[in-house]
Structures are given as structure tokens and as C-alpha cells.
Amino acid sequence: MFETLAILMSLSGSVPVLAQAGSNEVDVKLVLAVDTSRSMDFEEVRIQREGYVEALKHREFIDAVKGGLTGRIAISYFEWAGYVVPGSVIDWHVIENEDDALAFANRLEERPLNTQRRTSISTAITQGATMIVTSPYSAMRQVIDVSGDGTNNAGSPVAPTRDKAVEAGLIINGLALMLRPSGAPGGLDNYYADCVIGGPGAFVLPVYKIEDFGVAVRRKLVLEVSGLTPPPEIQKAATAPKSDCMAGEKQWQEFFDR
């Protein structure tokens, strides 16, 4: 625990106040970290929101929850761009039946749709890690689910932040929205594989068409809740970095140097 706290201190710059852990055993602690940067237009943000709401209400997701060892998960949510969006955090909810899932989905559905400047995946990882470590629940698997449509261009470098979270025992999975060029050489899915995701069984799921987003979110949540091994067509975490993990920062600097 003290090693984990030290890692989280280096991520966030402060000591988190630990919640009292009772007998709150769950199969997985899952944080949904959703990109709302201005590289996404209003339609994409709306469809992204609808995809998460529909996935949380879907029978396949609820069956995956019930199929776990304890039959319950703890889930939370926040939105990010260059920073964690104020007021976007939906704190931990336990889901063990359809009513629980609907209640969480309804909370999410009520949130206003907005976009913000810049893209800081490192900030999203830090926020997700802090929420997991300070949660009142105990789980064998602790997962940060990051969805985004661009490279890190604000805050701390993403790869070292990812490495610290993985060292603390967290798993980071990615949903790479590849609806338009992202500026990531080699593709955003490869950037996520090399620079963002990490931990045992970590994977990135690319989305190429907006109409496929809902199915992709549901598929991803089911894999994360079930702890299943990703199918071969989903990229697993790379063994050695191939993408330039500072690509976003360099592109942002080039923009100002013109």
C-alpha cells in the first residue's frame, strides 16, 4: 500500500486521503475516462455519450457483471481534455443488477454536452489512478478505461505517467477514436498501444466509424468487467515502444513556432 501511495504522490503531487475499506469486495474497480476535447465536434461528443449510456444499459454488460466472482463491480466516470472537466466526476457506484446499471447510466445521460481545449491523456490517467486508490472498494482488478481521439499535448508526458500507474498495479485500456486524422504517425491505435495502455492483458480497441462506437464501447466494457483475454484483432500492449510518445507535444510546439 505504501509503495502505491508513493507512486500516486508522484502522479498527483499530493497524498490522497484513503477511504475506509470495509467488506466492499467487487470484481473490478473501473474508471471511465472520456475525452471531450475540441478536436471532437458536437455530433461526435453526443454519439460518444450515447454509446456509453446504451452500453451500460445493455443486457450483455449486465450479464457480464453478474457473471463475476462477487457479481458486482464499482464504476466511476469523468471527462477530460487539457484538464479534468470540473463537475464531470460521477463518483463510485456499485453495479450488481439492472437497476444499478440504469441509475448510473441515467446520471451520465443527464450531464451537459461540452468540449474543452487541449488533450492531456496523462492528466486523465492521474485522475483515474487517484480515484481508484482512494476508493472505498477492494478488487483484484483495477482498470482505467481511456477513450480519446488524439495524442497527448498538454500536462506531463504520457508514457512515464502510464508506467507509474501500471507500477501501482493498475490496468489502462484504450478506445482510440479514429474517425479523422489524429496527427499520430502510424495511427492513433498504435500510439495508444505504445504510449497509453499498460498492465496485464491491456488492449486498445480502435473505432473507425461513428456508427460503430456504441458496439465498441459495449464490447470494451464487457471485456473489462469479465477480465477476458482480448480477441486477436484487438491490439495488445506493445512489448517495445514504436510510436513517438511525444508526438502530440512536438506538433503543438510546431504550431506555435510557425
Side-chain angles (χ1 to χ4, degrees):
M1 174 62 75
F2 291 110
E3 291 178 357
T4 300
L5 283 174
I7 292 167
L8 265 294
M9 286 175 62
S10 67
L11 282 168
S12 63
S14 61
V15 181
V17 179
L18 287 178
Q20 293 297 319
S23 59
N24 291 328
E25 291 286 338
V26 293
D27 290 313
V28 61
K29 292 191 284 187
L30 175 62
V31 179
L32 306 180
V34 177
D35 181 5
T36 56
S37 59
R38 287 180 183 163
S39 55
M40 300 175 66
D41 61 33
F42 188 82
E43 180 188 17
E44 290 171 340
V45 173
R46 177 182 60 80
I47 292 175
Q48 177 179 240
R49 170 70 57 76
E50 291 173 353
Y52 275 99
V53 171
E54 291 171 4
L56 290 163
K57 293 180 179 180
H58 200 278
R59 171 55 58 184
E60 190 176 355
F61 167 73
I62 296 167
D63 287 345
V65 171
K66 292 180 177 179
L69 289 175
T70 68
R72 61 206 300 258
I73 69 167
I75 190 169
S76 59
Y77 171 97
F78 68 91
E79 294 165 3
W80 59 276
Y83 48 86
V84 176
V85 178
S88 72
V89 176
I90 300 177
D91 209 354
W92 293 100
H93 280 54
V94 171
I95 295 179
E96 54 185 328
N97 55 46
E98 185 174 3
D99 289 342
D100 298 332
L102 290 175
F104 186 80
N106 289 338
R107 282 283 307 276
L108 175 54
E109 195 169 20
E110 292 168 358
R111 277 205 41 73
L113 294 172
N114 292 301
T115 58
Q116 297 79 29
R117 296 180 67 248
R118 304 290 294 271
T119 302
S120 182
I121 304 171
S122 59
T123 295
I125 292 173
T126 298
Q127 172 72 15
T130 302
M131 289 174 68
I132 283 176
V133 170
T134 59
S135 77
Y137 302 102
S138 176
M140 291 296 295
R141 289 182 295 114
Q142 306 177 112
V143 181
I144 305 173
D145 178 327
V146 179
S147 67
D149 77 333
T151 55
N152 193 79
N153 62 31
S156 302
V158 65
T161 304
R162 179 270 315 273
D163 293 344
K164 289 175 183 177
V166 171
E167 186 181 346
L170 310 185
I171 298 168
I172 304 169
N173 294 326
L175 190 67
L177 308 182
M178 302 176 66
L179 312 177
R180 60 183 66 179
S182 66
L188 187 64
D189 52 347
N190 290 320
Y191 174 87
Y192 262 65
D194 294 332
C195 307
V196 178
I197 67 173
F203 63 90
V204 54
L205 180 59
V207 179
Y208 301 102
K209 298 178 181 179
I210 196 71
E211 59 267 26
D212 295 337
F213 186 84
V215 174
V217 171
R218 184 171 75 245
R219 186 182 186 193
K220 188 167 186 287
L221 291 182
V222 168
L223 286 170
E224 289 168 333
V225 168
S226 305
L228 299 174
T229 301
E233 64 268 22
I234 301 178
Q235 296 188 37
K236 295 184 180 179
T239 55
K242 298 177 183 178
S243 302
D244 181 358
C245 294
M246 295 295 291
E249 287 86 348
K250 291 175 182 176
Q251 289 166 359
W252 189 261
Q253 187 60 50
E254 290 171 1
F255 175 79
F256 283 101
D257 289 343
R258 291 175 184 171

